[in-house]
Amino acid sequence: MDNNSILFQAMVYLAAAVVMVPLAKRLGLGSVLGYLLAGILIGPTVLQFIGTEGQDLMHSAEFGVVMMLFLIGLELEPALLWKLRKAILGLGGLQVLITSIIISGIAYFLDLPWQSSLAIGMALALSSTALVLQTLAEKGINRTTAGRSAFAVLLFQDIAVIPMLAFFPLLAIAGLTPADVNVNEAEGWIESQSGWMRALIVSGAIGFIIIGGRYLIPPIFRLVAATQLREMFTATALLLVVGIAVLMSSVGLSPALGTFLSGVVLANSEYKHELESDIEPFKGLLLGLFFIAVGASINFELIMNQPLLIFGLVLALMFVKAVVLLVLGKIFKLLVDQNIIFSSSLSQVGEFAFVLLSFSLTEGIVERGYVEILMAVVAISMALTPIAFFLNEKIVLPFIDKRLSSNKTEKEADAVNEKNPVIIAGFGHFGNTIGRFLRAHGVRTTVLDIDSNRVEFLRKMGFKVYYGDASRYDILLAAGAAEAKMIIIAVDDPEKRLQMIETIKKHFPDLQMLVRSSTREDTYDQMNAGILHIYRETIDTSLRMGVDAMKILGHRAYTAQRAARTFFRYDEQKLKDLSKLRDNEKEYINQAREYIEELEEIIKADTKQLHLVKDLGWDEDSLIADEKVKKDE
Amino acid sequence: MAKVLILFAHPAMEKSRVHKRLVEHIPRSADIRFHDLYERYPDFDIDVPYEQRLLLQHDVVIFQHPFYWYSSPAIIKQWQDLVLEHGWAYGTGGRAIAGKKFMHAISTGGSKNSYTEEGRNKYSLADYMLPFQQTAYLCDVEYLPPFVIHGTHRLPETDMDLHALQYEQMLLALVQDRISKPEIESCIYMNDLVPIPNAIQS
């Protein structure tokens, strides 16, 4: 088979990932290092399955970063953005500024032209959003102070890339000829426009994303959701991200910025969770591909030739970045342990450095020799990050923890509190009564519903409702199932309810389930699934109706009421007995006969207990009998 | 050793100050069973066979509740009406709980003085407990003096704590059978068996 066929290539990438990632995770090193190792393994140095195309691959895999920024945007409700403003502008802004100045200064001191120094300083000041966020989430520390601070800094860096890209062409050095790398044709088109026209097109594109995201996208999603076809929703979500990326690059802006922006616009929409879980797998795979490409593109020959220079540069660079972060963390009042996580997690150089460095090569800002060395440095620093995390976790933090354990627990409990304790799945007539009742008592709920029209209406009424299929693990996770105390399963479809029960039992064993059931059959299935809290949807209403019927017929209200209560308890008990019986007979009797038999059984059992109210304490028969005996004596 | 069953009745426990403390001070012992009636029967559907089984398993039954309108909260009355069946607790062949002991542990807003001839409640607390006492008599059950916390609306928190300790000690004494008949006959309230020195009351 041809080694270059797409299928063969795909097999090589997937196989490398499937072998290396679980291995790395098993060793506690995290998935990112696994991908990097997989890349090195199949790269030119070791197995030579892929050669120079690693570099090209990186360009397409950068789309994973674009998707990641879309997801980051989705996570960022404007309120959260506002809450983090100090960290984003202060911590992030100062980090980029100070680190750029120091690295530029060192480069200039090493006799590089000032333009090159500046470009290198800016490129290397950035950290890896993809790597750090993935690792923080994997380690479950993305909600701690360190996680949030790191997130804020990364956010600022990602936004800062855009002005940097705009600024780089001004740094071009006359003497250096721009390298001959194919320039995007679309950029040619935009560059042929006059200055003010260009500004108009750019702001028009951004305006289009904001206005379109608010008013155009939700109705489209509603239409697509109404088709009830899962893959259509996924396709629409992908189309949205890809479309924006195309739009942005055709007007010469970063696709990452565009998708990030549309993510923020959609963060408050009811389709947030569904979008998240649809894009997530693509993002994960593309990011994985990106890391593999990074691993494959490490130029080992270069490293072999100048090992001291390269590793020296890596260590010096990471040291400088970590120290700057450490000092800033101290100024922004991070606790010692949080500060160490924060500064070590961001000490590498990120994927945008590849972008900026290759850009500076094409624009003729930095000489090719330097760029190649720096590319290797960036890749190695990224490869070292998971190891730094690992060392941090196993050696540094346990040491610090011993000294400072008391402060930490409080903080983490706080982070959990942000999620609602109750999730309601299904907000039709059944679920919304429960939701309203709980809300009236100040219990906060997160609601999931699959009916897009209903979701839209309820959101207008001020409920916090999300569109999504609650039987899916990712949707449940996004709704906070890992932190919630309880889930109320009130969806209409019995099949869906059983699917949900299975998913929750598997992934969220601590989540209490309260489940609605329709028929007896359905109740038995749920009992078999081990559900303790089952609520038959008609039993209470029909009994209430029975009580009223008795009252209208002239029975005393309290007697009728108590009779209904007794009947209910008795019926629940019988249901349990019958459910055991059912298992044996199920194989022999077909469904219809079983129903009849069961009904007969219920009625037969009823005739044995005709008197529902037998409160002897209120019964005078025995007292009268007693008196009679006394009189006779 | 004696087995103690506490039949607790408070319709709004979340608002309670005195009983919350008392309940916290009930010793954790295999011989003391705390049974929260409003929690178990929110709809007043008392499970009579279960309640009767519980009675048979215990020697001393304490009705712990706030004193409402010179009597108990409604669920205690419901319990009495349904559980103490004719032919079981009293009447012909009704000797199931004969020889056991009943007592009350109650809190009341009125001061000790208000429950005297001159006070605004005119009669003593024991007088108001007469229906319970007579119920016990009919079932051939010994009726012990009540444990009482007076003036709960004015009671400082620190004194509530003292009463809770007093309750705890009294319960331990009951479980361990340390209270003699003459001692019981000598006191008006069970509190008198575990006096709190005036010096430490606020």
Side-chain angles (χ1 to χ4, degrees):
Chain A
M1 196 169 179
D2 178 14
N3 269 17
N4 284 322
S5 82
I6 286 185
L7 278 181
F8 182 78
Q9 289 284 318
M11 187 192 72
V12 168
Y13 283 107
L14 290 172
V18 169
V19 171
M20 295 310 289
V21 174
L23 203 66
K25 279 213 85 163
R26 176 56 61 92
L27 294 173
L29 296 171
S31 67
V32 175
L33 195 58
Y35 283 122
L36 288 172
L37 288 174
I40 295 171
L41 190 71
I42 59 173
T45 328
V46 187
L47 294 176
Q48 292 171 339
F49 279 128
I50 52 168
T52 46
E53 70 266 28
Q55 206 70 37
D56 303 334
L57 182 69
M58 206 135 86
H59 289 301
S60 47
E62 267 162 19
F63 198 65
V65 179
V66 169
M67 286 186 157
M68 185 181 63
L69 276 164
F70 177 68
L71 291 177
I72 294 173
L74 267 185
E75 275 296 318
L76 272 188
E77 291 171 29
L80 178 68
L81 211 57
W82 183 245
K83 215 169 100 189
L84 286 176
R85 66 193 186 278
K86 242 169 81 184
I88 295 172
L89 289 179
L91 205 52
L94 284 174
Q95 187 271 339
V96 172
L97 189 70
I98 295 173
T99 316
S100 304
I101 290 174
I102 292 178
I103 296 175
S104 301
I106 294 172
Y108 186 64
F109 182 72
L110 293 174
D111 267 355
L112 266 75
W114 66 269
Q115 294 97 329
S116 309
S117 309
L118 211 53
I120 291 171
M122 286 194 275
L124 300 188
L126 306 175
S127 314
S128 171
T129 309
L131 202 151
V132 176
L133 286 191
Q134 180 108 341
T135 316
L136 287 175
E138 242 168 57
K139 305 226 177 272
I141 44 180
N142 43 353
R143 285 179 173 273
T144 60
T145 327
R148 279 181 184 249
S149 308
F151 177 75
V153 172
L154 289 167
L155 195 62
F156 184 87
Q157 292 179 349
D158 293 342
I159 297 170
V161 172
I162 293 116
M164 284 184 190
L165 282 171
F167 180 62
F168 266 36
L170 305 180
L171 292 174
I173 301 168
L176 277 176
T177 35
D180 185 28
V181 181
N182 55 329
V183 179
N184 201 336
E185 304 100 49
E187 263 172 279
W189 169 77
I190 185 88
E191 260 146 34
S192 67
Q193 306 292 324
S194 62
W196 66 269
M197 192 61 190
R198 228 187 297 175
L200 204 68
I201 292 170
V202 166
S203 45
I206 292 177
F208 177 73
I209 287 176
I210 293 176
I211 293 167
R214 181 136 302 165
Y215 299 106
L216 203 62
I217 308 287
I220 292 176
F221 274 130
R222 215 164 288 137
L223 275 175
V224 173
T227 65
Q228 302 274 348
L229 292 169
R230 268 278 299 289
E231 66 276 15
M232 273 323 293
F233 203 97
T234 311
T236 317
L238 279 176
L239 177 65
L240 173 74
V241 177
V242 174
I244 289 168
V246 170
L247 173 73
M248 289 311 267
S249 43
S250 73
V251 299
L253 283 177
S254 142
L257 174 76
T259 48
F260 172 73
L261 205 61
S262 64
V264 174
V265 173
L266 288 170
N268 263 338
S269 98
E270 59 268 44
Y271 297 104
K272 173 180 166 178
H273 290 322
E274 183 76 18
L275 277 172
E276 257 174 15
S277 45
D278 275 336
I279 298 286
E280 185 77 46
F282 293 99
K283 178 214 86 174
L285 270 180
L286 281 175
L287 273 186
L289 203 58
F290 176 73
F291 293 130
I292 291 181
V294 171
S297 65
I298 294 176
N299 189 340
F300 279 89
E301 206 179 319
L302 196 71
I303 299 170
M304 293 304 180
N305 291 338
Q306 299 164 296
L308 278 182
L309 172 72
I310 292 198
F311 277 98
L313 275 175
V314 170
L315 290 181
L317 199 58
M318 290 180 81
F319 178 75
V320 167
K321 293 190 76 169
V323 167
V324 171
L325 287 161
L326 208 56
V327 172
L328 285 174
K330 185 92 195 153
I331 295 171
F332 279 79
K333 299 200 174 72
L334 265 72
L335 297 173
V336 180
D337 57 337
Q338 298 285 310
N339 199 1
I340 288 176
I341 298 177
F342 165 69
S343 48
S344 62
S345 69
L346 294 176
S347 63
Q348 80 294 98
V349 186
E351 55 276 358
F352 280 117
F354 292 120
V355 179
L356 287 174
L357 285 173
S358 48
F359 191 58
S360 62
L361 188 65
T362 57
E363 291 288 315
I365 307 167
V366 185
E367 276 176 48
R368 180 174 287 275
Y370 293 130
V371 170
E372 283 197 346
I373 291 174
L374 287 174
M375 289 279 208
V377 167
V378 173
I380 293 173
S381 83
M382 282 172 81
L384 285 181
T385 304
I387 299 173
F389 261 107
F390 181 74
L391 289 180
N392 230 343
E393 193 173 80
K394 294 281 182 257
I395 297 164
V396 182
L397 288 178
F399 176 70
I400 303 232
D401 251 15
K402 259 182 222 154
R403 296 167 47 190
L404 279 163
S405 53
S406 55
N407 287 334
K408 212 179 138 194
T409 40
E410 260 174 59
K411 280 262 154 68
E412 284 182 357
D414 230 349
V416 172
N417 279 343
E418 290 179 1
K419 292 274 182 177
N420 289 339
V422 179
I423 301 171
I424 299 180
F427 215 58
H429 284 303
F430 200 93
N432 90 51
T433 309
I434 305 166
R436 280 180 9 223
F437 176 72
L438 289 178
R439 191 160 85 153
H441 288 264
V443 178
R444 288 169 301 118
T445 54
T446 300
V447 175
L448 291 171
D449 200 287
I450 191 77
D451 181 335
S452 48
N453 289 328
R454 187 149 69 207
V455 170
E456 187 198 3
F457 169 75
L458 288 169
R459 284 175 76 92
K460 272 190 205 143
M461 305 295 291
F463 283 87
K464 198 170 181 182
V465 186
Y466 292 104
Y467 170 80
D469 177 351
S471 64
R472 283 169 53 188
Y473 162 73
D474 38 17
I475 294 263
L476 283 167
L477 188 72
E483 294 93 354
K485 280 200 185 70
M486 173 194 299
I487 182 161
I488 288 169
I489 302 180
V491 295
D492 290 319
D493 180 3
E495 277 303 307
K496 200 101 261 174
R497 290 196 288 254
L498 287 174
Q499 283 172 25
M500 285 186 69
I501 290 168
E502 288 314 311
T503 313
I504 292 165
K505 275 202 318 206
K506 197 156 121 206
H507 298 287
F508 309 103
D510 295 334
L511 193 63
Q512 274 229 51
M513 285 184 267
L514 276 66
V515 190
R516 160 190 179 181
S517 85
S518 321
T519 58
R520 282 179 169 263
E521 197 62 19
D522 188 22
T523 311
Y524 296 149
D525 286 337
Q526 294 182 10
M527 283 176 170
N528 283 352
I531 299 298
L532 295 176
H533 304 283
I534 301 173
Y535 301 86
R536 286 183 286 155
E537 60 195 19
T538 50
I539 182 94
D540 299 82
T541 321
S542 38
L543 278 177
R544 216 152 46 78
M545 208 162 157
V547 168
D548 281 352
M550 276 176 74
K551 279 197 282 195
I552 293 168
L553 288 175
H555 290 268
R556 298 280 301 166
Y558 189 57
T559 308
Q561 165 87 7
R562 285 179 59 82
R565 300 282 318 155
T566 312
F567 184 90
F568 175 77
R569 277 200 302 276
Y570 161 70
D571 203 56
E572 291 271 286
Q573 182 52 48
K574 207 167 49 192
L575 202 64
K576 271 181 203 152
D577 300 342
L578 285 176
S579 95
K580 287 172 209 147
L581 193 121
R582 184 188 79 136
D583 276 346
N584 306 328
E585 315 231 323
K586 201 182 175 186
E587 285 124 70
Y588 306 102
I589 312 167
N590 64 41
Q591 204 87 21
R593 276 199 56 186
E594 195 187 331
Y595 273 124
I596 296 166
E597 198 156 313
E598 199 183 286
L599 199 68
E600 280 173 4
E601 199 135 1
I602 293 168
I603 293 168
K604 236 191 298 175
D606 272 352
T607 53
K608 283 180 209 149
Q609 190 170 351
L610 272 175
H611 303 288
L612 287 177
V613 183
K614 289 203 298 187
D615 293 308
L616 298 178
W618 288 329
D619 199 308
E620 296 196 322
D621 288 351
S622 75
L623 276 165
I624 293 165
D626 232 24
E627 291 300 321
K628 225 180 193 166
V629 173
K630 274 183 210 158
K631 219 159 94 186
D632 294 345
E633 276 166 5
Chain B
M1 294 297 271
K3 294 245 181 207
V4 174
L5 172 65
I6 299 175
L7 293 177
F8 177 71
H10 199 308
M13 185 55 171
E14 63 277 7
K15 293 178 188 163
S16 155
R17 298 178 317 149
V18 173
H19 285 278
K20 201 186 269 165
R21 281 185 169 72
L22 292 187
V23 169
E24 277 165 11
H25 275 81
I26 293 172
R28 292 189 197 293
S29 152
D31 295 317
I32 300 179
R33 170 74 173 258
F34 177 76
H35 186 35
D36 188 340
L37 291 178
Y38 274 106
E39 192 64 19
R40 173 81 187 228
Y41 306 116
D43 39 22
F44 275 52
D45 290 340
I46 287 176
D47 183 347
V48 175
Y50 174 77
E51 293 298 320
Q52 291 182 342
R53 266 201 313 280
L54 270 186
L55 281 183
L56 294 178
Q57 289 162 6
H58 292 85
D59 308 304
V60 182
V61 180
I62 300 177
F63 301 90
Q64 183 188 335
H65 56 78
F67 201 49
Y68 287 161
W69 280 115
Y70 308 107
S71 186
S72 68
I75 205 166
I76 293 275
K77 187 68 170 64
Q78 180 94 337
W79 180 92
Q80 277 186 320
D81 295 351
L82 289 173
V83 178
L84 302 178
E85 279 174 1
H86 177 254
W88 184 78
Y90 71 104
T92 309
R95 297 204 38 86
I97 53 172
K100 295 186 186 295
K101 293 170 181 159
F102 280 6
M103 73 167 273
H104 277 79
I106 55 184
S107 62
T108 164
S111 66
K112 205 165 178 174
N113 275 334
S114 74
Y115 284 96
T116 55
E117 223 170 305
E118 302 80 42
R120 59 192 213 146
N121 292 319
K122 287 192 183 164
Y123 302 94
S124 78
L125 216 120
D127 290 340
Y128 287 114
M129 303 312 282
L130 206 56
F132 295 105
Q133 190 181 336
Q134 180 56 25
T135 302
Y137 172 78
L138 203 63
C139 300
D140 201 8
V141 164
E142 185 184 348
Y143 190 70
L144 303 179
F147 178 90
V148 186
I149 300 175
H150 276 292
T152 49
H153 307 314
R154 290 176 301 276
L155 200 62
E157 307 254 318
T158 45
D159 279 10
M160 288 184 199
D161 291 330
L162 290 175
H163 286 300
L165 286 169
Q166 199 179 24
Y167 189 51
E168 184 178 352
Q169 292 306 315
M170 184 211 68
L171 286 172
L172 287 174
L174 276 175
V175 167
Q176 293 159 6
D177 258 340
R178 281 195 270 117
I179 309 173
S180 67
K181 212 157 183 95
E183 275 176 311
I184 285 176
E185 278 158 10
S186 75
C187 65
I188 299 170
Y189 291 164
M190 288 295 266
N191 308 50
D192 303 342
L193 298 175
V194 193
I196 302 174
N198 274 330
I200 64 168
Q201 291 186 42
S202 42

